[in-house]
Amino acid sequence: MSIQPLLEKLQLGDLELKNRIVMAPMTRNRADNPGNIPTEIQATYYSQRASAGLLITEGSQVSKIAVGYINTPGIYSQEQVEGWKKTTEAVHEKGGVIFIQLWHVGRMSHPDFHNGNLPLSASAINPHSKSYTPEGFKETVTPKAMTLEEIKQTVLDFKNAAKNAMDAGFDGVEIHSSNGYLFHQFFNGTSNVRTDQYGGTIENKARILFEVIDAIKEVMPENRIGLRLNPSLNGVFGMTMDEETIPTFDYIINKLNEYDLAYMHLSEPFTDVSSIPYAEKEIAKRYRPIYKGTIIINSAFDQAKGNQVIKDGFADAVAFGKPFISNPDLVERFENHDPLAEYDTATFYTPGEKGYTDYPSYQEQEHV
């Protein structure tokens, strides 16, 4: 029998992945301590899933101003670096490869996180969404448009976070330039109405991303840097597409060919965009001919669709999210064609082990 495409090895820069099954970054809200420090519970969670070819951690804020959800871990303090070391060591002991996702939520944050101060964004435009605060979900506010100095500081924050990630033992980083967060807010004309060098033209709207990549590659190998993009995101996370959205992503992805990155992590549309004439409905198909590097594709794939998209040549690996929550042994289940366990949405974002580290493997489940 021929091996499933998902189970084939993959060269990722100078790393060899044992399969093409990637654990997608997912917010899990378990860093429920004053310093947002990862602890033993994160080490257990990620090491349970270390049979994935690549683990990408939940988004981890690069500074205090970058936070926008309760109990999410950071990667800006020495205590957080020490906490993450437990996770990287546990994953490496099991032969796993792990990248950390670097995160700045921008306007998706709330003054409750910032002593009453406004969150930062490309422009002072309210996303009219919700922020997950210590007091529950609250309506977002109109953010403060970033000054040039604040943009410069943010670039340095990402550089510092990448250096911290290396110190913590991560194999690489993923820049979260997706899903309506800070970089995405700069990319889109509906959230960026700046008239300086970070607004107006497509090149200007994309500038901050390339400044961050250039800064990060000063402190770590370029082929250990990945990034995530969601070109046809519309109607969620405060994002609204316009006629220039896809041309902007075309420009970004073309320019990424100038770098020797680990990968580009793309999402298929989260919502139905078939009625939007300027939206792209098939992201992997559009960008495979354009991007020369490794493509990871994500969004509601199952085993069959994952194998097919690799077989068809539109992606090199597939990132699975929710199935990894309830199936720590997802790779083995795919390999043996075992049924998948159902996940409990009620415990996605709650503290503690329940719904986090207490899902059994198929073997454990069968021997209960």
Side-chain angles (χ1 to χ4, degrees):
M1 279 178 65
S2 62
I3 189 168
Q4 296 177 52
L6 282 169
L7 298 176
E8 291 172 355
K9 290 180 179 177
L10 176 65
Q11 199 65 35
L12 198 72
D14 60 345
L15 295 166
E16 185 180 74
L17 306 188
K18 53 200 170 190
N19 56 62
R20 294 164 185 251
I21 299 168
V22 177
M23 177 171 155
M26 291 174 284
T27 304
R28 299 308 310 275
N29 306 86
R30 259 65 178 193
D32 50 330
N33 55 68
N36 295 131
I37 300 162
T39 61
E40 295 291 349
I41 194 170
Q42 281 84 9
T44 301
Y45 172 71
Y46 287 108
S47 65
Q48 284 175 336
R49 291 153 178 81
S51 57
L54 173 65
L55 299 169
I56 308 171
T57 74
E58 61 217 277
S60 301
Q61 52 264 9
V62 297
S63 65
K64 285 186 177 179
I65 192 68
V67 70
Y69 294 80
I70 62 163
N71 301 334
T72 53
I75 186 64
Y76 57 86
S77 75
Q78 195 52 44
E79 293 77 16
Q80 290 163 348
V81 171
E82 295 304 317
W84 276 121
K85 280 180 183 175
K86 295 173 184 161
T87 291
T88 59
E89 286 165 8
V91 168
H92 290 149
E93 273 173 26
K94 289 198 175 177
V97 175
I98 184 165
F99 278 38
I100 185 171
Q101 191 185 60
L102 306 181
W103 197 25
H104 191 312
V105 308
R107 67 182 187 171
M108 294 300 289
S109 188
H110 192 276
D112 286 6
F113 289 108
H114 311 297
N115 301 314
N117 293 321
L118 294 174
L120 302 178
S121 186
S123 297
I125 299 170
N126 191 333
H128 296 293
S129 189
K130 293 199 185 301
S131 178
Y132 190 14
T133 79
E135 295 173 7
F137 282 100
K138 289 190 177 181
E139 296 290 330
T140 53
V141 300
T142 300
K144 175 184 181 290
M146 294 171 82
T147 63
L148 295 180
E149 193 54 44
E150 284 164 338
I151 291 173
K152 197 173 168 184
Q153 182 58 51
T154 299
V155 173
L156 291 175
D157 289 341
F158 272 88
K159 180 180 180 178
N160 179 58
K163 183 180 181 302
N164 286 345
M166 295 297 96
D167 291 346
F170 283 101
D171 297 297
V173 302
E174 176 176 288
I175 302 165
H176 197 352
S177 37
S178 184
N179 295 2
Y181 298 122
L182 184 68
F183 293 100
H184 209 157
Q185 292 158 30
F186 272 88
F187 300 159
N188 270 33
T190 57
S191 48
N192 180 353
V193 293
R194 300 178 74 96
T195 55
D196 61 9
Q197 65 263 45
Y198 293 95
T201 66
I202 284 175
E203 292 81 1
N204 283 354
K205 287 185 288 185
R207 185 184 304 276
I208 187 172
L209 174 64
F210 293 102
E211 287 182 349
V212 165
I213 296 173
D214 290 339
I216 289 178
K217 70 179 193 176
E218 290 175 13
V219 295
M220 63 180 289
E222 200 172 309
N223 66 2
R224 297 295 186 96
I225 304 168
L227 78 161
R228 192 176 193 194
L229 297 169
N230 194 339
S232 279
L233 185 72
N234 187 72
V236 283
F237 296 112
M239 277 290 114
T240 306
M241 296 185 73
D242 64 14
E243 290 87 344
E244 225 175 40
T245 299
I246 292 299
T248 300
F249 282 98
D250 289 351
Y251 165 78
I252 290 168
I253 291 167
N254 263 304
K255 190 169 172 63
L256 288 172
N257 284 319
E258 298 171 16
Y259 295 82
D260 179 28
L261 299 181
Y263 63 82
M264 179 173 65
H265 184 178
L266 292 172
S267 296
E268 294 291 351
F270 283 3
T271 54
D272 182 5
V273 294
S274 55
S275 62
I276 303 171
Y278 43 80
E280 176 54 63
K281 297 156 198 68
E282 296 185 291
I283 296 299
K285 283 185 183 177
R286 182 185 187 94
Y287 291 113
R288 175 71 286 173
I290 296 174
Y291 187 60
K292 309 302 179 216
T294 298
I295 290 179
I296 300 172
I297 193 67
N298 170 256
S299 194
F301 279 84
D302 58 17
Q303 183 178 359
K305 287 178 184 171
N307 278 316
Q308 195 63 47
V309 76
I310 295 171
K311 189 179 175 187
D312 291 342
F314 295 121
D316 302 290
V318 179
F320 296 88
K322 291 171 186 171
F324 256 118
I325 290 177
S326 51
N327 299 276
D329 58 335
L330 186 68
V331 173
E332 292 77 11
R333 292 191 193 227
F334 281 178
E335 199 169 358
N336 301 319
H337 298 281
D338 292 328
L340 300 190
E342 292 295 316
Y343 45 79
D344 176 16
T345 55
T347 57
F348 277 5
Y349 310 114
T350 52
E353 295 174 11
K354 187 167 171 54
Y356 190 60
T357 56
D358 61 348
Y359 285 106
S361 68
Y362 187 71
Q363 291 298 325
E364 290 166 338
Q365 185 184 308
E366 288 300 288
H367 291 97
V368 171

